[in-house]
Amino acid sequence: MREGNFIDYVKLHVSSGKGGSGSTHLHREKYIEKGGPDGGDGGRGGHVILRGNENLWTLIEFSFKRHIKAGHGGNGSKQRSTGADGDDVYIDVPLGTVIRDTDTEEIIDEVTYHNQEVIVAEGGMGGRGNWHFKSSTNQTPRYSQPGIDGQEKNITLELKVLADVGLVGFPNAGKSTLLSVITSAKPKIANYEFTTLKPNLGIVKYRDYQSFVMADIPGIIEGAAEGKGLGYRFLRHIERNSTLLFLIPCDAPDVYKQYEILLDELRRYNPELLDKDRVIAISKTDMLDEELKNELDDQLQKDFKEIPYVFISSVAQLGLMELKDKLWEILNKDPEG
């Protein structure tokens, strides 16, 4: 998906370097009549290596560079000199990048921390020079090994946004507005559906100079797990959030039904998403008077039971500190508690 500078899915063709050939050389020197074999080994071919970089957040670098090749190893030479290794190619990718073999769909690895290195195509080994093959019965071998070819692969890079809290909700639920109010992020905001076409990240400042990361995931609609709307292509970003914040406007026809639809879409996409911690934020509550708010509160206590919920208004800045407190409490709870 591409929106502006945000790209979260690319396909690449990578080629590692070929190993250098071993040398077939017999030692020749003025005062040494039969120096014997002294051909050196070939150098290793270069690897193609993916490296995690915490300063990146998109795969835009690969928009116009889809073929990546590493250097070939140098050939061996006389006096058992080993050929130079081929130059490795390092590809920096954002944290949260899944590396998949395009042809088999098998996951090769995942990049989850800074400076993590994953070799996706190993360089070929260099061939052995003829001095390895000398023996009492073959004192002047006139052969050596060729270098081994490098690997060629088609790989797919799939970015899954890493964040502490992921915002989940229907289009136009107010997710972008909330993110813009409690972080310094500047997502696109408008009074129509699907204004957000890419995940947006923001850092939420908390008490005592602490913070956590929140991600605004583009709106999910009913049937997103079957590919309807925009939700399906962004559901994978929710997989990496430790806590899910469901944002449901107070003027929804049925708040609990909207929550169940959202939850069902997550379950159909990946049942493991239901194991994540959840918090409900009832948005736009500045539209409610005290009586309506109390009525809604009574109903939500019956519906949500053990799931925590908070009344908020991003525009009027109501309940935001309470929401931060609740999220911080869940993010830092004892896993064994």
Side-chain angles (χ1 to χ4, degrees), residues 15 37 42 75 117 123 130 187-189 196 208 252 254-255 326 333:
S15 305
N75 296 332
E117 294 184 2
N130 65 339
K188 181 180 179 181
I189 300 172
T196 301
D208 301 323
D254 189 327
V255 172
K326 181 57 66 177
K333 71 177 181 180

Side-chain angles (χ1 to χ4, degrees), residues 141-303:
R142 286 175 167 79
Y143 55 85
S144 59
Q145 290 180 329
I148 296 177
D149 289 335
Q151 299 177 333
E152 288 195 39
K153 283 184 181 178
N154 294 310
I155 63 171
T156 300
L157 302 184
E158 185 178 292
L159 176 61
K160 297 182 180 181
V161 169
L162 290 172
D164 299 306
V165 178
L167 278 167
V168 181
F170 283 98
N172 210 24
K175 301 187 299 299
S176 297
T177 304
L178 175 61
L179 191 73
S180 69
V181 169
I182 66 174
T183 76
S184 58
K186 302 299 179 188
K188 181 180 179 181
I189 300 172
N191 190 27
Y192 56 85
E193 296 185 349
F194 297 119
T195 54
T196 301
L197 298 177
K198 63 180 181 180
N200 291 295
L201 291 177
I203 297 175
V204 181
K205 294 180 181 179
Y206 190 59
R207 306 176 194 270
D208 301 323
Y209 302 102
Q210 299 175 107
S211 63
F212 56 90
V213 179
M214 180 178 286
D216 169 21
I217 309 299
I220 299 172
I221 65 170
E222 191 170 5
E226 280 74 50
K228 293 182 181 178
L230 296 174
Y232 175 71
R233 66 185 64 169
F234 294 112
L235 281 171
R236 66 173 175 271
H237 294 295
I238 301 173
E239 293 180 290
R240 294 295 178 80
N241 305 148
S242 59
T243 299
L244 300 181
L245 175 59
F246 289 80
L247 197 65
I248 303 173
C250 66
D251 59 349
D254 189 327
V255 172
Y256 187 68
K257 185 175 180 181
Q258 281 208 5
Y259 166 74
E260 283 192 315
I261 293 172
L262 292 169
L263 204 62
D264 186 55
E265 292 304 322
L266 299 186
R267 179 190 59 77
R268 290 158 72 186
Y269 176 73
N270 182 355
E272 292 181 6
L273 293 176
L274 303 190
D275 296 333
K276 295 182 181 293
D277 292 316
R278 298 171 227 156
V279 177
I280 314 295
I282 309 300
S283 65
K284 305 180 182 180
T285 54
D286 55 307
M287 299 188 302
L288 301 178
D289 58 28
E290 203 61 34
E291 184 180 350
L292 288 173
K293 188 174 179 180
N294 289 335
E295 287 181 11
L296 181 59
D297 188 28
D298 291 339
Q299 184 61 45
L300 296 182
Q301 286 183 33
K302 299 175 185 176
D303 292 337

Side-chain angles (χ1 to χ4, degrees), residues 50-54 92-95 111 113-117:
L50 265 63
R51 179 173 57 193
N53 187 333
E54 61 186 9
D92 284 353
V93 296
L95 306 188
V111 179
Y113 60 89
H114 188 58
N115 284 332
Q116 176 185 354
E117 294 184 2

